[in-house]
Structures are given as structure tokens and as C-alpha cells.
Amino acid sequence: MKICSLLTAASAIGAANAFVAPQQRPTPSSTALDATIAVFGASGLTAQECVYQALKDGDNVVGLTRNPSNVVVPKGSGGANAETPLSDPNLTLIGGDVTNAADVAKVFENDIDGVIVALGGKTSDVGDSMLTDGTNNIMAAMKEKGVKRIAVVTSIGAGDSKDQAPFAFKILMMTVMKKIFNDKNNQEEAVVNSGLEYCIVRPGGLTVDAPTGVINVIDGEAGSIPRADVAQFCLEAVKDADFPYVGKTPCISSVGGTSWTKDRSKAARGEM
């Protein structure tokens, strides 16, 4: 199992801790050697990074997604194989809806060691409460099966991180993104009150760039971050028994304390 190391770094605005991704797999900690990781929303851009990196680490992955055929090798970590169909003997993909408890239960027919929730989608497509309802279904199934560790990807600006979002993004949060942030806030509240070993991950502006291997935990205004680095952080959160951000809600970026503008371009979504 991987063990993370922490370095202290200064950011342009506020202090930041630099989370350094491990370069090798030393003595395993207590979660599991060949862990089985559940990834919910497995066809999403960040979730695909979680799936791909876990498989490369030798773990088993069980993914739930409405569209299993959309799960491909991610651009950030995938190199020359990016955007080709993702298949692996250690990968089980289940087609289903996270708001359907019966579909969620299918994932936990496997012996799951840790859970990553990286749900997404427009509220017009998935509804106003999909994040909260789906996450509640996942956590109920975890408790039933005795699974304790969960990482949930939300966003900068969610919960008590509102002041860490740039001004322009705050305007979006209060207008066109109001419904999705209501859902994110309710999702976070449910996770915090779950009694599980949680880490709520709040990334800055997401890109599909190659992983940098260093993630800054930001106290001030967050910058951008590759989805590949977010995935690395999430995997450490569910695999490292001594992960330092369990029970916390870290805001992360690759550029500590620098301002960023939400990039809605096709390039940021890997469509160019």
C-alpha cells in the first residue's frame, strides 16, 4: 500500500500543504494489499482516472455507471492509449443508476475495501438531488457491509469553502450553478454526518493534463489541478490507513493560492 508524505509549502495566498504522490509501493498499511476499490460515476472524467490508476497499481476495481461503454483510458494518465476502451481482468463494470439502491447493492456483492464517489452530470439530466440521494444509497450499503473508508469528490466553493472560490465563480454558484451547489452542499453534509471514515475532496479548476504528482492543500484561493492528480489523492484517501485528511474537507490544486476562472471549454473536458 502506498504511504503519502507531506511537505510544507507557501502559497501566494494563504498557506498550503503539498501532498506528494508516492513513487513506489512500500510496506502496505492496514486497508488491503491488493485492494478492491468501488468507483461510482465510473465513466466520468475524474472517475476514469481513479479506475485507470487503481488498475495500474494492481488493485481490483468495481465501477458503477449509467454508461459502461463510455469508460475509456483517460487522457491525463493514459498516454498513447488515451480514449481507447478501458478493459482489464481486474475491472468489473456494472450498468446502473446510483439513485437506485438495488443497483448500488450490486457493487457491494464484491468485497469492497474503499469507495470513491465521483458523480457528475447536469441537473437537467440527473435531477436536483442525484448527488445527495446517490451518496446516501452508497453510504447505506457501506454500513450494511462494514465498509468504512470513502472519498467523495465535490468542488471548491462547496460547504464552508465558499470564500476559497474566485469572485466570478461565486457568481455562477449563486446563479446558473445554484441547484448543483445546493445538491453538493447537501451531499457533503450527509457524508460528514455519516459516521464513516470520509475525506471530502474539493478540487479547484479541473483539467485533463498529465499528472504532476504534487497536490497542494489550499487554505486560500485555489488554482487549477489535473483530474489525474485528484484521482491520486482520492486513491490515497481510501487506501492509506494513516491518510492525514480523513475526517476533513481539503481543497486541492496544483497551483497553490493562485486565482483561476472556471474553464468551460471543450479542451478542459478533453473534447479537443
Side-chain angles (χ1 to χ4, degrees), residues 26-235:
T27 304
S29 56
S30 63
T31 31
L33 178 56
D34 295 317
T36 298
I37 308 298
V39 179
F40 289 89
S43 60
L45 294 177
T46 302
Q48 286 180 156
E49 283 283 359
C50 295
V51 171
Y52 182 76
Q53 291 182 34
L55 292 171
K56 289 299 181 183
D57 284 349
D59 297 319
N60 298 300
V61 178
V62 183
L64 181 73
T65 172
R66 289 175 296 164
N67 303 296
S69 62
N70 290 348
V71 179
V72 298
V73 176
K75 278 191 172 183
S77 298
N81 294 322
E83 298 189 290
T84 61
L86 179 54
S87 62
D88 190 282
N90 293 330
L91 173 62
T92 301
L93 291 174
I94 298 172
D97 187 336
V98 74
T99 63
N100 184 330
D103 288 345
V104 172
K106 293 175 184 176
V107 173
F108 292 92
E109 292 173 1
N110 303 271
D111 292 329
I112 302 298
D113 297 303
V115 172
I116 296 174
V117 180
L119 302 172
K122 298 178 181 178
T123 53
S124 58
D125 296 331
V126 300
D128 294 348
S129 60
M130 180 274 291
L131 301 177
T132 305
D133 295 342
T135 302
N136 278 328
N137 283 340
I138 294 164
M139 294 189 299
M142 290 176 66
K143 292 176 183 179
E144 183 177 340
K145 295 294 186 178
V147 182
K148 296 181 178 180
R149 189 65 68 89
I150 182 173
V152 181
V153 182
T154 61
S155 174
I156 189 72
D160 60 4
S161 69
K162 180 179 179 181
D163 290 339
Q164 292 183 258
F167 177 76
F169 192 63
K170 291 178 184 177
I171 299 299
L172 295 177
M173 289 166 52
M174 293 184 288
T175 54
V176 296
M177 299 180 72
K178 184 174 181 179
K179 288 184 178 180
I180 187 66
F181 268 88
N182 284 339
D183 197 9
K184 287 181 184 293
N185 291 337
N186 291 334
Q187 178 192 30
E188 286 200 359
E189 183 178 3
V191 173
V192 169
N193 294 324
S194 67
L196 297 171
E197 297 177 1
Y198 70 85
C199 179
I200 294 173
V201 183
R202 297 166 172 168
L206 293 165
T207 75
V208 292
D209 295 340
T212 66
V214 177
I215 299 105
N216 294 319
V217 178
I218 301 298
D219 293 325
E221 198 169 285
S224 62
I225 185 168
R227 294 175 188 273
D229 285 331
V230 177
Q232 176 68 66
F233 193 82
C234 290
L235 287 167

